Amino acid sequence: MNHPILAFPTPPPPSPLQMDNPKPHLCNRFLRDLSRNKDPSNALYVFDEMLRRGIGVDRFSFPLVLKAAGRVKAGNEGMMVHGLVVKMGFADDPFVQTGLVGMYASCGEIDGARMVFDRMSQRDIVTWNIMIDGYCQSRLFDDVLLLLEDMKRCNIEADEKLFSTILSACGRVANLEFGKAIHKMIDDNNVKIDYRMQSTLVTMYAGCGSMDLAQDMFDKLNPKNVVASTAMVSGYSKRGQVESARAIFDQMAKKDLICWSAMISGYAESDAPQEAIRLFGKMQDSGIYPDHVTMLSVISAGANVGALDQARWIHKFVKTNRFGEVLPINNALIKMYAKCGSLEDARDVFVHMRRKNVITWTTMISALAMHGDAVNALKIFQQMKSENVEPNGVTFVGVLYACSHAGLVEEGQKLFASMVDEYGITPKHQHYGCMVDLYGRANLLGEALQLIESMPFAPNVVIWGSLMSACKIHGEFELGEFAAKQLLKLDPDHDGAHVLLSNIYAKEKQWHNVGEVRQLMKHKGISKERGTSRIELNNEVHEFLTADKYHEQSDEIYAKLNEVVTDVKLIGYTPITTNVLTNLDEEEKKEAVLWHSEKLALCYGLLSGKTGTRIHIIKNLRICEDCHTFMKLVSDVYKTDIVVRDRTRFHHYKNGVCSCNDYW
């Protein structure tokens, strides 16, 4: 037998195989220990050696080696063992048959498992459990119901373990409807809901995102165990309710790695990535060592914070603790550095990776696209193809995005065509969205609308939003109004659509229509997202709102702003107020643009002695035309590199020029 999955060239000592003529029961005991071990593939090796050396293999050997094959998903080896079972006359042994059902089910070969199951003359509750668990793993819940009916006809009662198996599977795949049906079946059959079953129900409901039902079961659980508590933390976190998750987390007397990771992940994916990194520090203080799943959440948090010094600290931790060879972690590091504004560090990780997959190449392409470096994004794409790595749909989103932000219309059209003709990839909403954005930015609004009308499916919010934004930028009032209304049909409460529609009316000085839109927004409780900007200094992140007066150095910041405005006016700066779409007089409009959050963050950076180095700012909205011009001039006057990450891309300002070439 050939076992390419095996990790060791020789069986780990001590081994009965080192003895002369070892007894079969000693070899079987060794097989049992290996099948339960951390690396059960060694059991396959030992079994192979037993066959090669003619050591007796009996009916007790097969369930052990089949269990090992199932645990390591060695379906090919499992089928070879099945052939040997038939050859040696053990095909009717119920224990061997149960082992075969389990092996096929674990390897995802559910039809093979059912074939063996149907041929069994004797089936105990263990076998039914294994078969039903196999269907659950394959998400074939209709087959589970049919099998439960078959059990009734065979006068076999489903026990607590079987129901727990099904409920756990429902939680894993978030099948709430089926989970509720099984809960009702438990009640109807008067199955005792003991402590273990309560815990399983908590886990199932939390996994399905039904936190009210999960909380109800959790309140009845006494004492609270780690598994159920972790399920609650994870469930609340996934729904964005991190405060509820943290309340349960803090009440836990004992916390394992899975629980810490769930809470860190909750913060990383919410609006509190900085808290994820702080919690990671507390986890280390508690003596819990992270695994690669935890590290992926920490890296994601570092990317969302956007602080380069913090990103470098995370990378150092990765290298020091030997996570540097884990492919998904390296891919995540590229993305983190790109989102923290350092293409140099992202490239360094990419270049030094020993192994790369399609995700690696795609992440690097997307990083370059995000920074407006379309030329190098396309070079990496060509290099990827030359190394015979086939691009996928996500890769094409990256290269099309790069083209749209650089105005490469012809190149984008060729790539879109090659995606379909050369690689057989069916375009999805994201690809059409990139093309609409490409045409829209290039003021080819007719082509954009024509493409939307030719799509094989209905346009979504993103596509109408792209067209609407392009119309606003290029002053196409009628088409912009049409796009906005189409968007609002899909999402009547879309805040951006209402705001942009209001802005379109304001630009045309249709103040009556502006009033109607804003009154509707007020009635529906829809508010415009406030502009915020963050800057990291001395390992501390400072956040500013538009017209912010809350910072402890607020007076000094505004004094610095006045000084900077005076300096840049000397080389021609005049506040651009055309995008202030409110009914204010000109002086009020100038004041409004001068108090934008990114200008306050910039002046705080200059105030803190960052002149001559690099100031990195993260903004939650698209940077406006005035701030864009302001940043260019400041970079020239103060000889300071400025990096601004806005909602869609990066802007690198140096010596009075922006990397986007004023095309954004």
Side-chain angles (χ1 to χ4, degrees), residues 298-319 329-353 363-364 366-368 370-371 614 616 618 643 645 650 652:
V298 173
I299 294 168
S300 174
N304 290 335
V305 171
L308 185 56
D309 289 344
Q310 210 161 63
R312 286 173 175 157
W313 175 84
I314 293 169
H315 190 188
K316 183 179 179 182
F317 184 94
V318 165
K319 290 191 286 189
I329 284 181
N330 281 321
N331 291 341
L333 286 172
I334 295 171
K335 184 176 182 180
M336 177 185 71
Y337 274 130
K339 292 189 76 173
C340 290
S342 178
L343 270 181
E344 299 86 354
D345 286 304
R347 277 197 192 98
D348 188 61
V349 174
F350 177 79
V351 168
H352 287 94
M353 286 174 66
T363 304
M364 193 66 233
S366 299
L368 291 161
M370 189 192 308
H371 285 261
R614 183 185 345 196
H616 185 199
I618 300 167
V643 178
R645 183 182 106 189
F650 276 86
H652 294 254

Side-chain angles (χ1 to χ4, degrees), residues 565-581:
V565 169
T566 300
D567 288 342
V568 293
K569 278 184 175 179
L570 294 175
I571 58 170
Y573 171 68
T574 301
I576 302 170
T577 61
T578 52
N579 288 314
V580 181
L581 302 175

Side-chain angles (χ1 to χ4, degrees), residues 386-628:
S386 68
E387 295 193 18
N388 296 318
V389 179
E390 186 165 312
N392 60 23
V394 182
T395 314
F396 277 99
V397 170
V399 290
L400 290 172
Y401 180 90
C403 291
S404 72
H405 281 264
L408 302 178
V409 175
E410 188 176 342
E411 188 64 40
Q413 290 172 325
K414 289 178 181 177
L415 285 165
F416 189 82
S418 75
M419 178 180 73
V420 178
D421 300 335
E422 189 176 347
Y423 294 99
I425 297 172
T426 302
K428 297 182 178 178
H429 275 104
Q430 302 98 307
H431 304 106
Y432 281 105
C434 286
M435 291 302 294
V436 170
D437 193 48
L438 173 68
Y439 287 134
R441 289 175 186 275
N443 200 13
L444 299 171
L445 298 172
E447 286 84 343
L449 183 60
Q450 188 177 358
L451 181 66
I452 292 172
E453 291 172 343
S454 70
M455 285 167 51
F457 37 69
N460 61 10
V461 168
V462 175
I463 289 172
W464 284 122
S466 293
L467 181 62
M468 182 175 64
S469 298
C471 291
K472 174 179 174 287
I473 291 167
H474 298 297
E476 288 289 338
F477 171 68
E478 289 186 13
L479 184 57
E481 183 182 20
F482 170 75
K485 288 180 176 178
Q486 294 302 312
L487 195 158
L488 288 171
K489 286 180 183 178
L490 298 174
D491 186 358
D493 296 329
H494 192 282
D495 58 342
H498 282 95
V499 170
L500 274 169
L501 189 59
S502 171
N503 289 347
I504 288 170
Y505 289 138
K507 204 164 189 177
E508 294 294 310
K509 294 185 169 46
Q510 297 185 12
W511 302 114
H512 174 71
N513 289 336
V514 171
E516 285 186 350
V517 173
R518 291 189 176 175
Q519 188 61 36
L520 180 62
M521 290 174 67
K522 185 177 180 180
H523 176 71
K524 289 188 171 186
I526 301 168
S527 58
K528 179 181 178 180
E529 185 178 1
R530 290 191 69 181
T532 64
S533 295
R534 297 198 307 267
I535 182 172
E536 181 196 25
L537 290 172
N538 302 320
N539 295 319
E540 189 175 348
V541 178
H542 300 260
E543 186 169 82
F544 295 89
L545 298 169
T546 297
D548 197 342
K549 295 287 180 74
Y550 295 106
H551 197 279
E552 59 184 13
Q553 291 179 259
S554 182
D555 291 342
E556 297 169 68
I557 292 168
Y558 278 91
K560 187 66 177 178
L561 176 60
N562 290 334
E563 176 192 320
V564 173
V565 169
T566 300
D567 288 342
V568 293
K569 278 184 175 179
L570 294 175
I571 58 170
Y573 171 68
T574 301
I576 302 170
T577 61
T578 52
N579 288 314
V580 181
L581 302 175
T582 50
N583 199 5
L584 301 173
D585 63 40
E586 191 59 27
E587 285 306 309
E588 289 174 319
K589 287 183 177 182
K590 287 180 181 179
E591 193 174 76
V593 296
L594 288 175
W595 289 355
H596 280 184
S597 61
E598 56 266 57
K599 290 190 180 79
L600 299 178
L602 171 66
C603 289
Y604 181 64
L606 293 171
L607 192 66
S608 303
K610 295 290 284 186
T611 305
T613 56
R614 183 185 345 196
I615 295 176
H616 185 199
I617 298 167
I618 300 167
K619 182 174 173 62
N620 65 328
L621 304 176
R622 182 182 183 272
I623 192 168
C624 74
E625 186 179 357
D626 180 72
C627 286
H628 190 266

